[in-house]
Amino acid sequence: MRDLNIYNTLSGVKEKFTPLSKDVVSMYVCGPTVYGEPHLGHARPAITFDILFRYLCFLGYKVRYVRNITDVGHLLNDADDGEDKIGKKAKALKLEPMEVAHFYTKKYQEAMSFLNVKTPSIEPTASGHIIEQIEMVKKIIDNGFAYEVNGSVYFDVVKYNSKHNYGVLSGRKIEDILENTRQLDGQSDKKNSVDFALWKKAAPEHIMRWPSPWGEGFPGWHIECSTMSCKYLGEQFDIHGGGMDLVFPHHEAEIAQCCAANQKSAATYWMHNNMITISGQKMGKSLGNFITLSEFFNGNHEKLEQSYPPMVIRFFLLQAHYRSTIDFSNESLQAAEKGLSRLFSAIKTLQNLEPSVKSTVDISSYKIKCEVAMKDDLNTPIVLSHLFDAVKVINATNEKKFDLSKEDILELKDLFYNYTYEIFGLEEMEKQDDSQDLNGIMKILLEIRSKSKEKKDWDTADFIRDQLNEINIEIKDTKDGSTWNNKK
RNA sequence: GGUCGGAUGGCCGAGUGGCUAGGCAGUGGUCUGCAAAACCAUCUACACCGGUUCGAAUCCGGUUCCGACCUCCA
């Protein structure tokens, strides 16, 4: 339970991870805004922090993992008064906003479960914490860091910056931001362009609205995370995560809000995953170049040459370090698919390995190497490279080129079990149709084929093989007879 | 424009001073009636120009190109 190092955006370096309380870790990750289909971009933070969650548990920590659902319609931008993403969608579809939010929340959770992402300990919704958000806004006003104008409340960034450092996380200087944000703000009520909304008055056409001390309105974008992390993890907790695109302004604002309200910076460690790119460009909703997860799963998108099962997506992401961008392409996903099946087939081989009295190959280093890589800021690609080295040993042993003792085989089983299933959350892509009927029929067919082969009746043997292949049943001839598997 | 990051072999992607990353593809081989699958072996690198060093993909300076954030975004 020691020596896990993680990169902290706050300090800009890798730091030894020391939780606030010895055996317990508190972790908050920014979840999705539920107004559209979950896409590949959503999978990255979910999987990155799922790995961290799993690994912390593996190390014996008790983890409370909170990942929010943003189901409150935030404004598209400051100039666009009264329109929010969820509300807009609801109007277009003639639905209640919460119907839209609920629909996409289910979609998101479903996709995450396909990807074998563990459910967080708590998945709170912004709409369920309006009262708490109002309370926090009040606290910030009382502390003198926010002001009310026309039914909206804004965070006074300039004043805050005179006492604290607005920019600790993103490295931004307030002067630069002020200079660079001199675009026409419409008839904004803000004192300074850097100020951001804590509570926004609802325009008449705005359909998501709640009563507040300042009139009917809705909470600002950043306040929900501050409120919910504080409620469930305390004013100071261990890890706050999310995508790199959230560093500024979202997480910067969160820190400011928490400092303004509680004199605490919320999280000790701030972790950010990098983006997924498509042809070198960020895959994102605003760019319209995203591919949804269900499109990956069913292959139904013009850019996709085939369907990619959830585990392939998961493995694909693990092949890159979470802080690197990863470029999507059919070629790399297909490579991932083959790599993954090589890994699983070796695990299968491992189950049936014949133990020898003594080992002729040293496998003791793998466990340590994997651990070192994992503890070095979750270097999953390095862990995988060690596992693939071990795959070679397993296969070579199976070919009688090496011997492995019973103890060493157990150690390898342990290694693969821990990393593949427990920590990486990879599961076999079993699409096996193991119905009794099919099994029986296949047994008969393979027997006929085997008899024809004995009689050197290659026409019949090949006919059976080729016809089955046509309906996606693949025959594999091995020394000990033939096996079959369902390709679809 | 400001801030930050990146440029690695056919593709993806690790690696911060000397030792084979790994996966996929390619090539050769084993197996096989043939094939597929599987397995084994193996080739192709470090954007460019200088510098530091016994030695640089790795450090320093410069150049070119690309990306992210600065508006909602994972």
Side-chain angles (χ1 to χ4, degrees), chain A residues 282-307:
Chain A
K282 176 177 157 181
M283 184 183 278
K285 221 158 248 174
S286 48
L287 295 160
N289 63 347
F290 66 95
I291 304 174
T292 70
L293 288 166
S294 58
E295 283 165 345
F296 274 103
F297 301 161
N298 62 33
N300 200 1
H301 187 281
E302 56 167 3
K303 284 208 161 74
L304 300 177
E305 289 167 9
Q306 58 167 88
S307 64

Side-chain angles (χ1 to χ4, degrees), chain A residues 410-422:
Chain A
L410 267 176
E411 169 139 2
L412 281 176
K413 281 183 180 170
D414 222 43
L415 181 81
F416 278 88
Y417 177 80
N418 286 339
Y419 282 94
T420 313
Y421 300 103
E422 281 290 296

Side-chain angles (χ1 to χ4, degrees), chain A residues 367-384:
Chain A
K367 189 178 168 185
I368 298 157
K369 283 181 186 166
C370 287
E371 193 178 329
V372 167
M374 203 57 198
K375 286 183 171 171
D376 181 17
D377 197 28
L378 310 179
N379 202 330
T380 55
I382 292 290
V383 174
L384 284 174

Side-chain angles (χ1 to χ4, degrees), chain A residues 54-99:
Chain A
R54 287 166 177 271
Y55 193 53
L56 289 168
C57 293
F58 178 79
L59 292 177
Y61 289 109
K62 192 168 182 297
V63 186
R64 181 180 290 166
Y65 174 23
V66 178
R67 189 184 62 206
N68 68 293
I69 297 282
T70 298
D71 60 347
V72 168
H74 297 300
L75 293 184
L76 291 166
N77 59 52
D78 278 349
D80 193 359
D81 250 349
E83 272 270 80
D84 70 69
K85 291 177 285 197
I86 294 171
K88 199 176 171 185
K89 192 118 193 175
K91 275 187 195 165
L93 303 173
K94 292 207 163 69
L95 292 170
E96 189 62 33
M98 208 44 85
E99 247 177 311

